[in-house]
Amino acid sequence: MKKLMIRLVVFAAIFLLTLVVAGNIMNQGHDNMTMEMAEASLPIVSVERGGVRYNELHGYTVPMETFAMREAVTVLEENRNFSLYIDLYGRNVTGMSIELRSTDGTRLVESTEITSYQTEGNRAYADITLKDLIDPKTEYALKITLTLDDDTPVDYYTRVVWSDDLKMEEKLSFVLDFHNRLFDREAAKELTKYLETNAQLEDNASFHKVNIHSSFRQLTWGNLDVRQQGDTVVRLTEIGEQTASFLLYYTVYGGSGEDRTDYRVVEHYRVRYTTDRMYLLNYERTMTQIPNPDRMVANDKILLGITGTDIPLMESEDGSSVVFVVDGQLYSYNATNNKLTILFGFYDQKHMDARDMYDEHAIKILDVDEGQNVSFAVYGYMNRGRHEGEVGTQLYTYNSATNTIEETIYIPYDKGYAMLKPQMEKLLYLNRDQNLYLMLEDVVYVIDLEEKTYYPMASVLQSDMVQVSDNHHILAWQEGSDLYHSKQLHIKDLNTEIQQDMTVTAEESVRLMGFMGEDIIYGVARNEDVYRENSGRIFFPMYKLCICDAGGNLLKEYSQEEIYVTDCSVESNQITLERVKRQANGAYVAAATDQIMNSVEEEVGKYTIVAPAIDTYERYVQIQTRRTIDSKTLQVLTPKEVVFEGGRELVLETDTDAVKYYVYGAYGVEGIYSQPSKAVSLANEVSGVVVNRQGNVIWRKGNRAQRNQIMAITAIQTTEEQNSLAQCLNTMLKYEGITRNAEYLLEQGQTVMEVLQNNLEHIQVLDLNGCELDAMLYYVDRDIPVLALLDDGGAVLITGYNEYNVVVMDPAKGTLAKMGMNDAAEWLKKNGNNFVTYSRE
């Protein structure tokens, strides 16, 4: 028996030794080839004014395009000075300099070494005065460069403006006072006069989104009993003499100990200053629960808490695993082995400082296979890790067998997250052959991830010549220099990579309109019906609208006698058609809109988003799983990152000469357009700003005086030689110091746009067809007349306004007279809101 026991002990020891040796062999080099993501290492720079810090600037380690770096604007003090507050985070600053340029970056105004900065412990301070080389009320681009202890230069960007009329302190004080009162219900009663509570606009059923229309109870956190933790980070995004927009970032928590829950909060304020009082034009608060993987499952639910219901989610084909993104972190749940894996996130429970929590990036799930391996992309500003301080698109693969993530490719971008985001949202797709499709600067690129090569598959002149299905599986595009005389439409299934080319007859032209699900919408016009209007626009009446699948098979055709479609929009399962009717004399008049409905129901996977109302928390977002999750045996994993030698960077050659208009809303770029009219319409809707590629502001919401009139423009009468359109053009040119015979130029075949473009220097002419009259008053406020074209071929000029009227110069009547604001808006709307104006560069 004793010998038997000794043999068993020896056998067990040998068995254990074998396991250890085998494990070491299988993982040989594994520990040395993986690591945790490197910690953030760059300082943060803030501006300080009146004891208040604002505009927390994050550092860039590679050069960026100046015109695109407009996250924040800094208001200079009376003597063109400003103060910097620098969080060093353990780094040493060995040098500091500033570079001031025009907003497009082409003109250097000042370049100065800063030697008078002080360091106190983990902070540094600098008081900087710009040279007397800048104009008041003009925005400039400022780059602050810190040289760190390892000789690394790090750049920080902000716009600056110098003006005594911006009332910066008053606006900031109002915003901070409003914010502080939110945590004291008694003090918050003072805020009710600023609210526009409307139960029809807000259901008051979720703390995730609260706005100016919400109830007082929602505004003051209901029964959540939350407290703020840490400082409030203030960012000034836009400012004018009257209005300003702010973003406030902070965290709150509720409960204590193991029951504590943390939330990330962003507030957007848009305010107007008057000598009498402050006005709150818009308020929105977004509250998002910070995930706690240790308390994330219960029964058959994955608990996400107070957040939005638009959770990016993808499951494997067999339904064994689901991958989802919540508050900037990527998770995978495997039902087979009951594992919850935190695949990626710049922040975690150990890394939650201001650099880790900076949210100028997004995560896109690209693929989940049956082996629970995941492909995903991180695009935007890289908070830490291999590409810290850069902007780009980083592709990763997660290997479930080794519990590691590995970078497969990195595509740098030099225009910031705000401009990268809408482009990646339009197209970023990976198929099973490891070909990545993405769109940058109106070019569709195909990238072979295995070979690390790429080629441009399609290049278009206007962004709307490329359309992508919502799931990014199907791509449709038109090529060529003329959108309105295109004969061919290309359709490609990006998964199978099968392409269909659809061609219309020689007597027709085709126009791509969009998608409904995975079905393509396009219109067909007869060439004889297409013509260029006086304004220079192309009138493209489509006698039929078609819907086909990715294989080019016709699913539905819409046509009615003498009815023509001019545009369409898609929302949910409905297509709304804008239509005109051709009369007997060949003229077109507006017809009522029509709708096409889609009866195909969207497929629902095994994992679904549910949001029941739960007492104190109200709408509480969860992922419904296939079966009950055993929380006691649940494993929570965090993968390490595979280390490799060299780089996996792929630089795409992009052409950036095309005319573009960028719409900035409360949180960044809302859209990028080739047509200024679409940009201004969206900016008007979101209370935003339109900026061109040169960094010039083309339009801004609401920042105008209560009244203005261009006194230099007086009444003028039509003559036998000069009709009303010609007289309006003559007046616009003369106003800018140019004398021309507009009637002659029009008779020579020039359009309205060409007459203005060919004769006005340092001017950008804008076709703003379809915009509202109220939006046009932005230009009149800046002493720029607005041309309104009429259906009968005539024209008028809008040259002034007040609270109740606009001033209209009508050459056909020979008058300069007031017209009621509402009457004018209705009249011009019936004439198509056909506006042309310009912006001074």
Side-chain angles (χ1 to χ4, degrees):
M1 179 64 69
K2 184 177 181 180
K3 291 182 179 180
L4 178 62
M5 290 297 294
I6 292 173
R7 288 175 181 173
L8 289 174
V9 170
V10 171
F11 176 78
I14 293 173
F15 178 73
L16 290 173
L17 180 62
T18 302
L19 289 178
V20 172
V21 172
N24 287 336
I25 293 174
M26 292 178 65
N27 294 293
Q28 187 172 6
H30 182 72
D31 291 337
N32 295 329
M33 296 179 65
T34 63
M35 62 177 289
E36 293 184 355
M37 185 189 300
E39 297 190 358
S41 64
L42 302 180
I44 287 179
V45 175
S46 301
V47 182
E48 192 166 42
R49 179 162 182 161
V52 177
R53 292 200 300 273
Y54 72 104
N55 286 355
E56 185 179 88
L57 309 177
H58 291 253
Y60 292 82
T61 56
V62 294
M64 304 297 291
E65 284 278 3
T66 301
F67 85 92
M69 308 306 292
R70 51 177 295 117
E71 294 176 8
V73 57
T74 296
V75 178
L76 303 176
E77 298 189 45
E78 183 179 1
N79 297 317
R80 304 180 308 281
N81 58 300
F82 61 99
S83 299
L84 294 183
Y85 177 95
I86 305 170
D87 279 303
L88 296 174
Y89 289 99
R91 302 298 296 270
N92 293 318
V93 174
T94 61
M96 183 185 302
S97 64
I98 62 168
E99 188 176 88
L100 188 70
R101 291 183 174 272
S102 55
T103 52
D104 64 357
T106 59
R107 182 170 62 91
L108 178 64
V109 178
E110 176 183 350
S111 180
T112 304
E113 292 289 330
I114 306 299
T115 57
S116 58
Y117 60 89
Q118 302 83 37
T119 300
E120 296 179 8
N122 211 23
R123 305 284 187 270
Y125 308 88
D127 292 318
I128 300 171
T129 300
L130 299 182
K131 296 177 181 178
D132 188 11
L133 300 171
I134 62 175
D135 296 322
K137 302 181 181 181
T138 302
E139 284 191 0
Y140 294 86
L142 177 68
K143 181 175 72 174
I144 304 160
T145 301
L146 303 182
T147 303
L148 303 183
D149 37 30
D150 58 357
D151 293 330
T152 299
V154 184
D155 298 327
Y156 300 82
Y157 296 86
T158 178
R159 291 169 288 142
V160 296
V161 61
W162 178 43
S163 174
D164 294 333
D165 300 326
L166 299 178
K167 307 299 179 183
M168 165 67 177
E169 287 86 354
E170 290 86 344
K171 295 169 183 175
L172 178 58
S173 176
F174 171 81
V175 166
L176 292 178
D177 178 70
F178 191 105
H179 164 75
N180 291 331
R181 289 176 183 271
L182 296 176
F183 298 92
D184 183 336
R185 189 159 291 177
E186 188 63 32
K189 291 180 180 178
E190 179 68 19
L191 306 179
T192 55
K193 63 185 178 184
Y194 300 109
L195 299 181
E196 300 172 10
T197 301
N198 189 330
Q200 294 180 337
L201 297 177
E202 279 300 308
D203 60 10
N204 293 305
S206 173
F207 289 114
H208 174 61
K209 288 288 186 182
V210 173
N211 60 39
I212 197 170
H213 302 299
S214 299
S215 67
F216 177 74
R217 180 182 179 279
Q218 292 294 105
L219 185 73
T220 52
W221 313 98
N223 295 326
L224 277 180
D225 189 26
V226 294
R227 284 138 285 173
Q228 182 170 341
Q229 175 175 279
D231 296 330
T232 303
V233 176
V234 179
R235 183 191 301 175
L236 175 62
T237 58
E238 298 291 342
I239 191 165
E241 292 184 8
Q242 295 186 52
T243 62
S245 294
F246 295 86
L247 289 174
L248 272 58
Y249 301 86
Y250 57 96
T251 58
V252 298
Y253 69 95
S256 60
E258 294 183 355
D259 295 327
R260 171 170 168 154
T261 303
D262 293 272
Y263 306 89
R264 191 202 300 253
V265 185
V266 181
E267 289 180 340
H268 169 245
Y269 293 83
R270 186 165 173 268
V271 300
R272 169 179 285 143
Y273 169 86
T274 70
T275 54
D276 299 325
R277 57 166 288 189
M278 292 291 300
Y279 291 88
L280 182 65
L281 301 178
N282 192 29
Y283 173 81
E284 183 176 77
R285 184 175 72 211
T286 304
M287 181 182 189
T288 305
Q289 187 165 320
I290 296 175
N292 183 349
D294 296 328
R295 294 192 292 122
M296 209 167 179
V297 300
N299 300 320
D300 58 348
K301 305 288 195 305
I302 299 173
L303 308 178
L304 306 182
I306 298 176
T307 187
T309 55
D310 53 343
I311 300 296
L313 181 149
M314 183 182 293
E315 59 186 84
S316 59
E317 290 187 6
D318 61 2
S320 62
S321 63
V322 60
V323 180
F324 56 95
V325 181
V326 58
D327 193 41
Q329 290 186 323
L330 180 66
Y331 286 83
S332 172
Y333 174 68
N334 187 329
T336 303
N337 54 28
N338 200 28
K339 291 181 179 179
L340 180 68
T341 306
I342 310 167
L343 299 180
F344 187 89
F346 285 122
Y347 77 89
D348 55 36
Q349 293 177 341
K350 297 180 181 178
H351 303 88
M352 296 191 72
D353 68 29
R355 300 167 301 174
D356 304 316
M357 300 293 287
Y358 189 51
D359 65 348
E360 292 291 297
H361 61 271
I363 300 172
K364 172 72 182 289
I365 307 166
L366 298 173
D367 186 45
V368 184
D369 67 20
E370 292 76 9
Q372 288 78 50
N373 304 308
V374 182
S375 296
F376 62 95
V378 181
Y379 58 87
Y381 180 87
M382 302 297 165
N383 301 31
R384 59 190 183 103
R386 180 187 299 272
H387 303 286
E388 181 185 6
E390 300 179 26
V391 172
T393 302
Q394 188 176 23
L395 264 70
Y396 278 104
T397 56
Y398 168 69
N399 188 319
S400 64
T402 59
N403 191 35
T404 58
I405 62 171
E406 181 176 0
E407 179 187 300
T408 56
I409 205 165
Y410 176 72
I411 304 165
Y413 188 69
D414 63 356
K415 295 182 181 64
Y417 171 64
M419 291 190 181
L420 180 63
K421 179 176 179 283
Q423 298 182 85
M424 293 298 97
E425 289 178 339
K426 183 164 186 175
L427 178 60
L428 183 61
Y429 181 77
L430 178 68
N431 66 22
R432 288 295 173 90
D433 292 330
Q434 295 301 292
N435 287 329
L436 179 74
Y437 291 82
L438 61 82
M439 188 171 179
L440 278 177
E441 310 296 344
D442 291 340
V443 178
V444 177
Y445 294 94
V446 184
I447 301 173
D448 187 325
L449 296 186
E450 295 180 352
E451 299 295 330
K452 305 296 187 291
T453 58
Y454 78 94
Y455 69 91
M457 187 189 80
S459 178
V460 298
L461 293 180
Q462 299 180 16
S463 55
D464 54 4
M465 294 174 71
V466 174
Q467 299 286 346
V468 187
S469 62
D470 288 340
N471 60 13
H472 291 200
H473 289 186
I474 312 298
L475 178 72
W477 73 98
Q478 294 175 264
E479 291 180 306
S481 59
D482 191 348
L483 171 64
Y484 297 101
H485 291 89
S486 177
K487 304 298 179 187
Q488 198 169 58
L489 179 65
H490 309 287
I491 303 170
K492 188 168 185 176
D493 185 320
L494 301 186
N495 198 38
T496 64
E497 300 196 317
I498 296 175
Q499 180 173 319
Q500 303 289 336
D501 297 323
M502 301 179 58
T503 305
V504 295
T505 67
E507 292 76 30
E508 296 174 325
S509 296
V510 63
R511 180 182 171 191
L512 177 62
M513 304 301 292
F515 273 85
M516 174 173 276
E518 292 191 356
D519 298 329
I520 301 95
I521 308 167
Y522 65 93
V524 180
R526 301 181 184 93
N527 293 340
E528 61 188 27
D529 295 334
V530 180
Y531 65 90
R532 184 180 296 273
E533 299 174 325
N534 278 344
S535 63
R537 300 183 207 101
I538 300 296
F539 181 63
F540 193 86
M542 294 167 278
Y543 76 92
K544 66 177 179 180
L545 194 80
C546 303
I547 303 175
C548 71
D549 62 19
N553 302 304
L554 185 64
L555 303 177
K556 185 177 182 61
E557 181 178 299
Y558 175 94
S559 64
Q560 294 183 13
E561 187 175 354
E562 299 303 328
I563 292 291
Y564 297 82
V565 177
T566 56
D567 203 355
C568 77
S569 59
V570 180
E571 186 173 351
S572 186
N573 65 337
Q574 178 177 287
I575 306 173
T576 300
L577 308 178
E578 300 294 333
R579 309 184 307 160
V580 294
K581 183 175 183 179
R582 183 159 60 185
Q583 297 178 309
N585 61 0
Y588 293 89
V589 295
T593 60
D594 200 358
Q595 288 78 35
I596 299 176
M597 304 299 294
N598 178 20
S599 59
V600 178
E601 295 185 3
E602 187 176 345
E603 292 185 11
V604 178
K606 297 180 175 64
Y607 298 86
T608 56
I609 303 294
V610 296
I614 299 180
D615 300 331
T616 302
Y617 302 98
E618 297 188 349
R619 191 172 293 143
Y620 200 85
V621 179
Q622 308 165 1
I623 299 177
Q624 174 78 55
T625 61
R626 294 192 303 162
R627 56 176 180 243
T628 300
I629 301 173
D630 187 348
S631 59
K632 294 181 180 179
T633 62
L634 179 72
Q635 298 181 63
V636 179
L637 306 178
T638 303
K640 291 188 175 182
E641 185 170 352
V642 174
V643 179
F644 53 85
E645 293 183 358
R648 296 180 177 176
E649 185 175 291
L650 186 65
V651 179
L652 304 182
E653 296 181 4
T654 58
D655 180 10
T656 59
D657 292 335
V659 176
K660 290 293 177 188
Y661 299 92
Y662 304 90
V663 180
Y664 284 82
Y667 309 101
V669 174
E670 297 280 349
I672 303 175
Y673 296 95
S674 303
Q675 298 91 355
S677 58
K678 292 184 177 181
V680 170
S681 293
L682 177 59
N684 193 34
E685 179 183 335
V686 301
S687 299
V689 178
V690 179
V691 179
N692 65 9
R693 192 180 285 281
Q694 289 71 44
N696 298 320
V697 173
I698 299 299
W699 188 88
R700 177 180 275 126
K701 174 76 171 184
N703 193 48
R704 67 176 191 241
Q706 287 188 334
R707 58 181 59 85
N708 189 51
Q709 184 170 345
I710 307 171
M711 303 306 295
I713 295 179
T714 57
I716 190 172
Q717 180 74 52
T718 57
T719 66
E720 293 183 4
E721 294 79 18
Q722 302 285 335
N723 62 24
S724 63
L725 175 57
Q727 290 290 48
C728 285
L729 290 172
N730 287 334
T731 301
M732 295 175 79
L733 294 172
K734 183 179 178 181
Y735 177 66
E736 294 293 338
I738 305 295
T739 301
R740 293 288 186 273
N741 185 337
E743 183 75 30
Y744 173 78
L745 298 177
L746 292 171
E747 289 176 352
Q748 295 301 305
Q750 291 190 33
T751 66
V752 169
M753 295 289 290
E754 289 169 338
V755 169
L756 296 175
Q757 287 170 342
N758 295 340
N759 293 282
L760 295 177
E761 296 182 357
H762 308 296
I763 293 292
Q764 184 170 8
V765 182
L766 304 170
D767 178 359
L768 298 179
N769 179 47
C771 296
E772 295 181 0
L773 170 63
D774 184 71
M776 296 302 96
L777 301 184
Y778 166 86
Y779 299 97
V780 182
D781 178 61
R782 280 149 183 78
D783 294 328
I784 298 173
V786 175
L787 175 68
L789 302 173
L790 307 178
D791 285 345
D792 62 4
V796 298
L797 282 183
I798 302 166
T799 64
Y801 68 91
N802 60 26
E803 296 175 273
Y804 309 106
N805 305 286
V806 293
V807 178
V808 178
M809 195 277 279
D810 187 348
K813 298 178 181 178
T815 60
L816 181 72
K818 292 180 181 179
M819 178 182 287
M821 187 74 72
N822 293 334
D823 292 339
E826 183 65 24
W827 174 55
L828 293 170
K829 183 178 181 180
K830 288 181 178 178
N831 281 272
N833 279 339
N834 206 341
F835 300 115
V836 175
T837 187
Y838 54 88
S839 176
R840 299 187 181 97
E841 296 182 358

